């Protein structure tokens, strides 16, 4: 009914706008008699041009109203449609039980908690940028970034030619950052095979013996303990030890750590989604045990989602040309980031080490880091959340391409957090936030939100600390304190465009702070090394005292 009402309302508003437009045009347009064809049968060119101008004016008047109406109602229309299909997918039992509650115990309906296994619904849809790039006006922005990359390349070549007297086509920074790739590869294969075999084996063993066990709680706790040991000991400590023991360079470390976090979240989702099914099957005394096949689990490990399902909506074919273009754009973004560091960052931070640490140096560093920080933000988003995930989705014929939403239009930080990275947000929402509320009831929403922020901030800071080889909790402070404060202050009630401006301003400043602080610390540790560092030296900022070493 809600979907029908939205469609009817949209038709009425457009019809009303059309009538008003026609009335206004009738008042100021030439009379119909003047636009008719003369009696001799020939068409008057002036009259034809006047008619064309009139129709163009009418279209231009209707276009803003139509786009505004479509933009405001389309999201609601799709959301209501998905919710309606979700209620049908959950079966008539859930609908019937709620209708009975409404009739008999309406006061208890609000206290009921939705089963945690009723989660995300996957549908067949394109990524937002793929749809927007079909519009020439939006695609021009993409062309502007390509033009900027060309200028960065030309600038580097010209400067090197002037300084060296020859073209220097060396990529020392890239070769250093992605060094020791063989170690990265065998570490990844070890993580992948262990994630494929151990969680599946433990779950299958638990599921086959759960209904037969005389002590199902103890039986379940034992297998839960084994799974936790695997998550913490094998996937948690193992890759971290390899990264530190073999002193991998930053980008290689980043590959291992991000894959480590991905495999931990994937294996948890697999177990979390399938355990309730086995328990319900045992309660119903079903003869079949709902254990997914190895192929279903293997597909999930590569699928661009962190929410497990036995089956996902699939596209009919694979467009290999599209896959090639996405991977080319990923490599293009890597070179883009290289040139940003080469032309904008390296000269800035190499000169900073020559001056003592002070408020003046810090402020100048932050403001000079805003432009490269914002460019790196856009490139990271485009390379990973759009190109990389869409490439794997296309190869796997994975149909739901909503890896992000229109985060750039956000007028609140709460909306920005929901739309920036939908893949991770879904995992945090269903397995951290909703499970917390299901366990502690909805009265503790603030505690659930605080827990989600804490988990996200700790994981982000852990990844940066291991990748950069030092602990400098700038991101943790920005995320945990400022980010959470903005989430409550700049909330969904802020709808005016000024809030979008404020959000972008704070995002620009925040990424400038992050790039400045971490780059300063990195260069300080390179130029002010300690002979016998202690544990405190790894967590004490070296950039604050580096001037005493010179």
């Amino acid at each position: 009914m809600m979907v029908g009402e939205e469609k009817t309302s949209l038709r009425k508003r457009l019809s009303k706008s059309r009538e008003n437009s026609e009335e206004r045009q009738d008042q100021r347009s030439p009379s119909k008699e003047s636009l008719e064809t003369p009696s001799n049968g020939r068409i008057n060119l002036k009259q034809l041009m006047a008619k064309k101008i009139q129709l163009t004016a009418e279209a231009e008047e209707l276009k803003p109203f139509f786009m505004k109406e479509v933009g405001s109602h389309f999201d609601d229309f799709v959301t209501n449609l998905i919710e309606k299909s979700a209620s049908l997918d959950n079966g008539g039992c859930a609908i019937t039980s709620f209708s009975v509650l409404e009739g008999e115990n309406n006061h208890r309906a609000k206290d009921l908690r939705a089963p945690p296994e009723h989660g995300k619904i996957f549908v067949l849809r394109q990524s937002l940028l793929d749809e927007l790039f079909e519009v020439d006006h939006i695609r021009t922005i993409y062309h502007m970034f390509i033009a900027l990359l060309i200028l960065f390349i030309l600038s580097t070549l010209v400067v090197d030619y002037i300084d060296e007297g020859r073209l220097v086509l060396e990529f020392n920074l890239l070769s250093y950052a992605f060094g020791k790739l063989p170690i990265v590869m065998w570490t990844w294969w070890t993580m992948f095979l262990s994630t494929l075999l151990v969680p599946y084996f433990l779950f299958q063993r638990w599921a086959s013996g759960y209904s037969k066990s005389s002590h199902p709680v103890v039986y379940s706790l034992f297998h839960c303990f084994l799974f936790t040991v695997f998550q913490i000991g094998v996937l948690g400590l193992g890759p971290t030890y390899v990264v530190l023991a073999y002193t991998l360079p930053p980008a290689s470390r980043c590959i291992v750590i991000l894959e480590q976090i991905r495999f931990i979240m994937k294996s948890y989702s697999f177990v979390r989604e399938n355990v309730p099914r086995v328990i319900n099957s045992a309660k119903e005394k079903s003869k079949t045990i709902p254990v997914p096949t190895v192929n279903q689990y293997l597909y999930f490990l590569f699928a661009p989602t962190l929410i497990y399902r036995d089956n996902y909506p699939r596209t009919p074919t694979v467009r290999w040309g599209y896959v090639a273009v996405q991977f080319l754009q990923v490599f293009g973004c890597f070179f883009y980031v290289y040139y940003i560091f080469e032309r904008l960052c390296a000269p800035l931070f190499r000169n900073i080490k020559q001056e003592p640490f002070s408020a003046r140096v810090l402020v100048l560093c932050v403001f000079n880091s805003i432009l490269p920080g914002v460019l790196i933000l856009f490139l990271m988003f485009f390379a990973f959340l759009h190109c990389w995930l869409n490439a794997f989705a296309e190869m796997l014929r994975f149909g739901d391409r909503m890896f992000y939403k229109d985060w750039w239009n956000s007028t609140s930080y709460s909306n920005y957090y929901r739309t920036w990275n939908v893949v991770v947000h879904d995992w945090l929402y269903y397995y951290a936030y909703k499970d917390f509320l299901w366990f502690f009831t909805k009265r503790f929403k603030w505690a659930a939100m605080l827990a989600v922020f804490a988990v996200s901030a700790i994981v982000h800071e852990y990844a940066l600390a291991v990748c950069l080889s030092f602990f400098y909790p700038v991101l943790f402070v920005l995320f945990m304190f400022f980010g959470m404060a903005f989430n409550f202050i700049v909330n969904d009630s802020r709808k005016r465009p000024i809030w979008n401006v404020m959000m972008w301003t704070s995002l620009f400043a925040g990424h400038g702070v992050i790039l400045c602080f971490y780059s300063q610390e990195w260069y300080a540790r390179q130029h002010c090394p300690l002979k016998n560092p202690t544990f405190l030296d790894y967590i004490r900022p070296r950039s604050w005292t580096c001037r005493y070493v010179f």
Side-chain angles (χ1 to χ4, degrees):
M1 290 294 293
M2 293 179 65
V3 176
E5 291 174 0
E6 293 291 341
K7 292 167 69 178
T8 305
S9 175
L10 181 60
R11 291 196 197 100
K12 288 181 178 179
R13 294 191 182 189
L14 289 175
S15 177
K16 184 177 179 181
S17 172
R18 194 180 298 111
E19 292 174 359
N20 293 337
S21 176
E22 289 175 355
E23 291 177 0
R24 290 192 298 267
Q25 286 296 326
D26 289 342
Q27 292 175 1
R28 66 177 181 232
S29 63
S31 61
K32 292 183 179 179
E33 290 79 3
S34 63
L35 295 178
E36 292 178 352
T37 305
S39 57
N40 56 9
R42 296 182 179 179
I43 299 176
N44 191 315
L45 184 59
K46 292 183 178 180
Q47 293 177 353
L48 184 62
M49 293 299 297
K51 184 65 175 178
K52 183 177 180 180
I53 293 172
Q54 177 188 349
L55 293 175
T56 304
E58 290 179 1
E60 288 296 330
E61 280 196 20
L62 283 175
K63 183 169 70 173
F65 180 82
F66 177 77
M67 295 302 294
K68 183 178 180 180
E69 288 295 310
V70 170
S72 62
H73 289 280
F74 181 74
D75 287 341
D76 295 336
F77 172 78
V78 174
T79 302
N80 293 331
L81 188 63
I82 292 175
E83 290 177 354
K84 186 176 180 180
S85 65
S87 64
L88 293 175
D89 289 339
N90 291 336
C93 179
I95 299 175
T96 305
S97 61
F98 274 101
S99 60
V100 171
L101 284 168
E102 289 176 358
E104 296 180 1
N105 299 314
N106 192 34
H107 63 281
R108 295 181 57 191
K110 295 181 180 180
D111 297 330
L112 286 178
R113 291 170 286 177
E117 62 268 18
H118 292 174
K120 180 180 175 65
I121 298 173
F122 292 87
V123 297
L124 201 65
R125 51 191 163 188
Q126 274 188 310
S127 285
L128 184 55
L129 282 183
D130 281 338
E131 295 177 348
L132 291 177
F133 282 160
E134 295 177 3
V135 181
D136 291 338
H137 302 292
I138 303 299
R139 193 166 184 82
T140 299
I141 300 176
Y142 172 75
H143 296 159
M144 291 165 61
F145 274 87
I146 295 178
L148 189 59
L149 172 60
I150 294 173
L151 290 177
F152 272 128
I153 296 173
L154 290 177
S155 173
T156 305
L157 294 177
V158 170
V159 171
D160 290 341
Y161 183 78
I162 293 175
D163 293 340
E164 303 289 337
R166 60 186 179 87
L167 293 178
V168 181
L169 298 175
E170 298 178 356
F171 299 97
N172 296 329
L173 183 61
L174 279 178
S175 60
Y176 162 73
F178 288 95
K180 300 183 179 180
L181 282 180
I183 299 176
V184 174
M185 293 305 299
W186 68 255
T187 304
W188 184 89
W189 274 107
T190 304
M191 288 192 297
F192 167 70
L193 292 176
S194 62
T195 305
L196 175 64
L197 299 176
V198 177
Y200 187 83
F201 170 77
L202 285 176
F203 174 76
Q204 188 181 44
R205 188 175 183 276
W206 170 82
S208 59
Y210 176 77
S211 59
K212 303 175 185 178
S213 175
S214 56
H215 301 284
V217 176
V218 177
Y219 183 79
S220 300
L221 288 176
F222 173 72
H223 284 81
C224 179
F225 171 75
L226 293 179
F227 179 70
T228 304
V229 169
F230 167 77
Q231 291 280 81
I232 298 176
V234 178
L235 285 182
L237 299 178
T240 306
Y241 171 78
V242 171
V243 162
L244 299 178
Y246 289 90
T247 60
L248 297 182
S252 298
R253 291 188 178 206
C254 188
I255 295 173
V256 174
I257 296 303
L258 290 182
E259 285 296 282
Q260 171 199 45
I261 296 171
R262 186 177 72 91
F263 282 133
I264 290 175
M265 298 170 78
K266 289 261 189 181
S267 57
Y268 179 85
S269 175
F270 173 76
V271 174
R272 169 64 185 78
E273 292 289 341
N274 285 288
V275 164
R277 299 166 59 186
V278 176
I279 295 176
N280 292 334
S281 176
K283 288 180 180 179
E284 298 172 358
K285 298 181 179 180
S286 175
K287 295 182 180 180
T288 60
I289 302 174
V291 178
T293 64
V294 177
N295 288 336
Q296 289 174 324
Y297 181 47
L298 179 62
Y299 180 89
F300 169 64
L301 289 181
F302 286 97
T305 179
L306 297 174
I307 307 295
Y308 175 81
R309 293 290 182 270
D310 287 341
N311 297 289
Y312 299 93
R314 307 285 290 274
T315 55
T317 58
V318 177
R319 299 170 296 173
W320 291 107
Y322 178 85
V323 174
V325 169
Q326 300 308 311
F327 279 126
L328 285 175
Q329 291 181 138
V330 171
F331 287 113
C333 289
F334 281 143
F335 284 104
Y336 211 142
V337 172
Y338 164 77
Y339 282 112
I340 288 174
F341 272 101
E342 189 72 22
R343 304 309 308 163
L344 299 179
C345 297
L348 171 66
F349 297 112
R350 285 168 186 163
N351 295 330
I352 282 179
K353 74 180 190 301
Q354 300 174 3
E355 300 184 40
F357 184 85
S358 64
R360 172 184 173 276
V361 172
L362 187 62
V363 170
L364 291 176
C365 173
V366 170
F367 280 99
N368 288 327
S369 301
I370 288 178
L371 176 59
V374 171
L375 290 175
I376 293 173
L377 166 69
F378 290 152
L379 292 170
M380 288 172 55
F381 160 74
F382 184 71
F384 179 70
L385 290 176
H386 180 73
C387 299
W388 185 263
L389 295 183
N390 270 294
F392 274 88
E394 188 67 29
M395 289 189 295
L396 296 171
R397 293 170 45 217
F398 185 84
D400 196 334
R401 311 288 175 89
M402 194 182 68
F403 309 125
Y404 54 89
K405 297 180 183 177
D406 57 336
W407 57 270
W408 46 85
N409 291 327
S410 298
T411 55
S412 66
Y413 265 87
S414 54
N415 184 71
Y416 168 74
Y417 293 140
R418 290 193 298 266
T419 55
W420 158 256
N421 187 342
V422 174
V423 179
V424 174
H425 171 266
D426 287 340
W427 194 94
L428 291 172
Y429 177 73
Y430 289 110
Y431 301 145
Y433 182 76
K434 286 196 71 174
D435 281 0
F436 189 98
L437 293 181
W438 180 81
F439 191 79
F440 292 103
T441 74
K442 293 183 179 181
R443 291 175 294 178
F444 296 95
K445 283 188 175 182
W446 61 271
M449 191 174 297
L450 179 64
V452 171
F453 266 96
V455 169
S456 184
I458 290 172
V459 172
H460 278 81
E461 191 58 47
Y462 157 76
L464 270 179
V466 176
C467 292
L468 298 177
S469 301
F470 58 82
F471 178 73
Y472 198 19
V474 176
L475 181 62
F476 180 84
V477 172
L478 290 177
F479 201 94
M480 189 63 190
F481 296 100
F482 291 97
M484 191 169 62
F486 288 154
N487 183 70
F488 289 102
I489 298 173
V490 189
N491 50 41
D492 287 333
S493 63
R494 315 296 186 181
K495 299 294 184 182
R496 299 178 62 185
I498 186 62
W499 293 105
N500 182 252
V501 175
M502 293 184 65
M503 193 207 72
W504 275 110
T505 303
S506 57
L507 274 180
F508 287 174
H511 283 84
V513 169
I514 292 172
L515 181 62
C516 170
F517 275 75
Y518 283 105
S519 297
Q520 272 191 338
E521 185 66 18
W522 171 268
Y523 274 94
R525 290 178 179 270
Q526 298 298 314
H527 296 286
C528 304
L530 299 179
K531 294 182 179 180
N532 298 310
T534 62
F535 175 75
L536 290 178
D537 291 324
Y538 285 102
I539 63 176
R540 184 185 297 118
R542 192 79 52 82
S543 57
W544 296 2
T545 58
C546 185
R547 61 186 184 276
Y548 297 118
V549 181
F550 290 128

